[in-house]
Amino acid sequence: MVKITDVARHAGVSPSTVSYALSGKRPISEETRQRIEDSIRELGYRPHAGARALASSRSNVLALVVPLRTGIHVPVVMQFAVSVVTAARRHDHDVLLLTQEEGEDGLRRVADTALVDALIVMDVQLHDRRLPLLRALDRPSVLIGFPAEPAGLTCIDLDFKAAGELCVEHLAGLGHRVIGLVGSPPEVYVRETGFAQRVVQGFTAAADRNGLSSSVHPCEAAPAAARQVAEQLLRERPALTGVVVHNEPVLEPLIDAFESLGLRVPGDLSVTAICPDEVAEQTRVPVTSIAIPTAEVGTGAVELLMRKLGGATAVPEATLLSPRLTVRGSTMPRP
Amino acid sequence: MVKITDVARHAGVSPSTVSYALSGKRPISEETRQRIEDSIRELGYRPHAGARALASSRSNVLALVVPLRTGIHVPVVMQFAVSVVTAARRHDHDVLLLTQEEGEDGLRRVADTALVDALIVMDVQLHDRRLPLLRALDRPSVLIGFPAEPAGLTCIDLDFKAAGELCVEHLAGLGHRVIGLVGSPPEVYVRETGFAQRVVQGFTAAADRNGLSSSVHPCEAAPAAARQVAEQLLRERPALTGVVVHNEPVLEPLIDAFESLGLRVPGDLSVTAICPDEVAEQTRVPVTSIAIPTAEVGTGAVELLMRKLGGATAVPEATLLSPRLTVRGSTMPRP
DNA sequence: GCGTGACGTCGAAGCGCTTCGACGGGGGAA
DNA sequence: TTCCCCCGTCGAAGCGCTTCGACGTCACGC
């Protein structure tokens, strides 16, 4: 193994000079820097991560806690993970993968052993058990998602309330008067995952504001459940012309169900969804939708952490990303 | 931060004794060990990961390289990742997440900086560019998947050839004489991903062996493509009564297409698939299938690495997991 | 009764890097 | 010219842990 003293000897300087040339923490003459860089290249030097971590008390590793539970859309989780890793690399950091199963002990372990400098936690629930721990930990963290009491924590996510509103505004603007929300599985509401409830809030608020008649229907992630909800909607609200779907796996089956019940989309029924673009594009009728901006959220989370690690004083506690609605073929003016 | 010297002082022993008590590398009297453990608990001591890595030249971290490409089923990747993390934790290791995008440089970086002790690489292609590097690296690695030339590497995966064969044997045993394989998208074969080709090999070999008439049809991962393939199959092979599907997203649309073309599953057409159980179970007719044993593969990969890290001499180069076929409602004897 | 070895523990020497204080030399200000 | 300060570099002191060799003690065998 080639170490910093080897490089120093080869370049005719002291080890500390090599270190400063690498970190830029002190000025080094252009000429010396060049010589050092040449030596590094020639010898194939790589600083030892452990030694660096010990001496600098910085590991340059971030922890990412990913959820494992039912009712969450796996590809979206993966997208978050990838964007976090990519963003972290841009800041010369790596990412340690933790499963939610590890729970609070896992968080404490990687933080207390100084394995990681900071943490990113996904799938935060309204009353998440990890919150007190995250507040107490000596390393900074960022949550993807909003708990009920975000004070003292840094959170980032799509503004799901605004997303719910935006869907309604879109339908209202097209003249629809009776609309329904087909939501996530009941257990998602039960365990109080913030974003699902916030969609409902936005949906309801915007419907009221616009004087629309609206109703909300949780739905299991199965085709049969979709069919049931479709039938129920038509039975209870025959004047229905607009639907908002917040439940990825059910989007396609739901449209199928409506069509087989005699409603054409978008001719008789306009459909919008909150879901990844791939899901919205792969249905038989491409669906007007609001995507979860996984790349921005992941990148944003990392940027926030970097600012905190950099000692920034005022990092915003709440970062809500504005929803963007992409119009596709599934919505049209009320007939 | 509480360190080992604090524990030592508190327990009335020397730091080295604490270290040995923790690692078990030298005998420590029961009484002293107890005292040390008490002190550790009382003080809340956690060994510093960086210091440990520096002194022992072991980071207790594994790298996991996950694929990002089109044509691979994301939930399966996630399952691998989770099982790797879980297995690694059982051996007191953590997992660093690398994206394939980082490529060879990323592998070299984490290995050369001693950030990780060993590497797990997923989605290995037949002529993977990373193979020479993995052979040359000074840390052990395990591949999930088999390249064309696996000599000198440790590989583990489902035996896809046997899986292809098993599907055919199952259909042949039910009396089917004319069968087809609906495969992965053409690009998967083009980039020479081993497992797809091996399914074809197994399928063809078993069909020949059993005197069946067979044909192979790559298929894009889109409903429209599925429809096309279904039409083509019926046109070209009117006597077809058995189909093997190796293409997750197309399974459901393909069955839909067959049914809308007048073929009942399994009445007129028996269907088997190689896909995750969730996919096989969520179709309208549950599909007889061979699952990719993600948990075993992930765990197996970690076990192999641990043996290599433990200095085991003879770790098997190739580990092929036998396929298991789960019979569901989509296959029946030929009418 | 004494050599032998295993047991349990200690002290010291690093592991490879960062960082702090110091120091010589070369301006710019006074 | 003198003083001061900044620039560029060096040396040394750790960071917190593991590990090697050494040492005292005790039991055992002959």
Side-chain angles (χ1 to χ4, degrees), chain B residues 37-313:
Chain B
E37 276 170 17
D38 291 347
S39 298
I40 288 178
R41 207 165 311 112
E42 194 166 329
L43 301 178
Y45 168 68
R46 297 280 198 166
H48 186 287
R52 198 176 258 229
L54 178 58
S56 68
S57 51
R58 276 297 180 84
S59 67
N60 275 34
V61 175
L62 307 176
L64 174 68
V65 189
V66 300
L68 284 177
R69 291 182 306 198
T70 54
I72 51 160
H73 193 62
V74 180
V76 170
V77 173
M78 201 68 187
Q79 285 178 28
F80 276 125
V82 168
S83 73
V84 165
V85 171
T86 308
R89 286 303 308 143
R90 280 199 294 270
H91 293 272
D92 199 29
H93 282 243
D94 277 287
V95 173
L96 199 80
L97 187 62
L98 295 182
T99 61
Q100 208 154 51
E101 201 177 27
E102 277 238 62
E104 297 157 79
D105 290 345
L107 293 181
R108 207 193 309 274
R109 182 175 56 82
V110 296
D112 288 353
T113 59
L115 223 195
V116 306
D117 294 334
L119 306 101
I120 296 178
V121 179
M122 293 183 57
D123 192 34
V124 178
Q125 299 179 240
L126 284 180
H127 302 285
D128 204 294
R129 309 189 47 195
R130 299 167 292 187
L131 300 183
L133 176 60
L134 290 173
R135 285 202 181 83
L137 243 37
D138 61 336
R139 358 232 98 195
S141 55
V142 167
L143 315 193
I144 295 183
F146 280 80
E149 234 2 295
L153 296 166
T154 306
C155 307
I156 182 171
D157 207 352
L158 171 65
D159 187 340
F160 278 97
K161 181 149 181 281
E165 289 174 337
L166 183 51
C167 285
V168 173
E169 300 290 352
H170 176 66
L171 292 175
L174 291 171
H176 298 277
R177 310 299 302 159
V178 181
I179 62 174
L181 170 66
V182 177
S184 304
E187 75 249 34
V188 172
Y189 297 95
V190 169
R191 72 172 179 240
E192 302 199 302
T193 301
F195 71 89
Q197 300 194 355
R198 294 210 180 81
V199 169
V200 173
Q201 285 167 19
F203 173 86
T204 308
D208 292 354
R209 198 161 59 225
N210 286 273
L212 309 192
S213 162
S214 74
S215 57
V216 175
H217 308 259
C219 179
E220 292 293 349
R227 172 92 194 183
Q228 278 185 6
V229 168
E231 286 171 355
Q232 184 198 352
L233 265 169
L234 293 201
R235 189 171 352 103
E236 297 178 0
R237 316 184 53 80
L240 182 85
T241 62
V243 169
V244 177
V245 182
H246 182 211
N247 184 328
E248 287 92 355
V250 140
L251 180 57
E252 171 118 49
L254 192 71
I255 293 178
D256 287 352
F258 280 125
E259 299 239 328
S260 77
L261 289 169
L263 286 187
R264 316 297 316 175
V265 173
D268 304 312
L269 189 69
S270 283
V271 174
T272 82
I274 301 172
C275 69
D277 284 338
E278 311 87 75
V279 174
E281 282 162 2
Q282 283 202 359
T283 46
R284 130 184 8 193
V285 187
V287 174
T288 295
S289 72
I290 293 171
I292 294 143
T294 51
E296 286 109 290
V297 174
T299 306
V302 171
E303 303 292 344
L304 286 167
L305 271 189
M306 289 304 147
R307 284 207 258 159
K308 288 177 125 181
L309 284 173
T313 50

Side-chain angles (χ1 to χ4, degrees), chain A residues 139-278:
Chain A
R139 358 233 97 196
S141 56
V142 167
L143 314 194
I144 295 183
F146 280 78
E149 234 1 294
L153 297 165
T154 305
C155 307
I156 181 171
D157 207 351
L158 170 66
D159 187 340
F160 279 96
K161 180 150 183 278
E165 289 174 337
L166 183 52
C167 286
V168 173
E169 300 289 352
H170 177 65
L171 293 175
L174 291 171
H176 299 277
R177 312 299 304 159
V178 181
I179 63 175
L181 170 66
V182 177
S184 303
E187 75 246 36
V188 172
Y189 297 95
V190 168
R191 74 173 177 238
E192 302 199 301
T193 302
F195 71 89
Q197 300 195 355
R198 295 209 179 81
V199 169
V200 173
Q201 285 167 19
F203 172 87
T204 308
D208 292 353
R209 198 161 58 226
N210 286 273
L212 309 192
S213 163
S214 73
S215 58
V216 175
H217 309 259
C219 180
E220 292 294 348
R227 172 93 195 184
Q228 278 185 7
V229 168
E231 287 172 356
Q232 184 199 352
L233 265 168
L234 293 200
R235 186 171 356 103
E236 295 178 0
R237 315 184 54 79
L240 183 85
T241 63
V243 170
V244 176
V245 182
H246 182 211
N247 184 328
E248 287 92 354
V250 139
L251 180 58
E252 172 119 48
L254 192 70
I255 294 177
D256 288 352
F258 279 126
E259 299 237 328
S260 76
L261 289 169
L263 286 186
R264 316 296 318 176
V265 173
D268 304 313
L269 188 69
S270 284
V271 174
T272 81
I274 301 173
C275 69
D277 284 338
E278 311 88 75

Side-chain angles (χ1 to χ4, degrees), chain A residues 14 16-17 26-29 32 55:
Chain A
S14 80
S16 53
T17 304
R26 285 204 184 169
I28 298 290
S29 73
T32 310

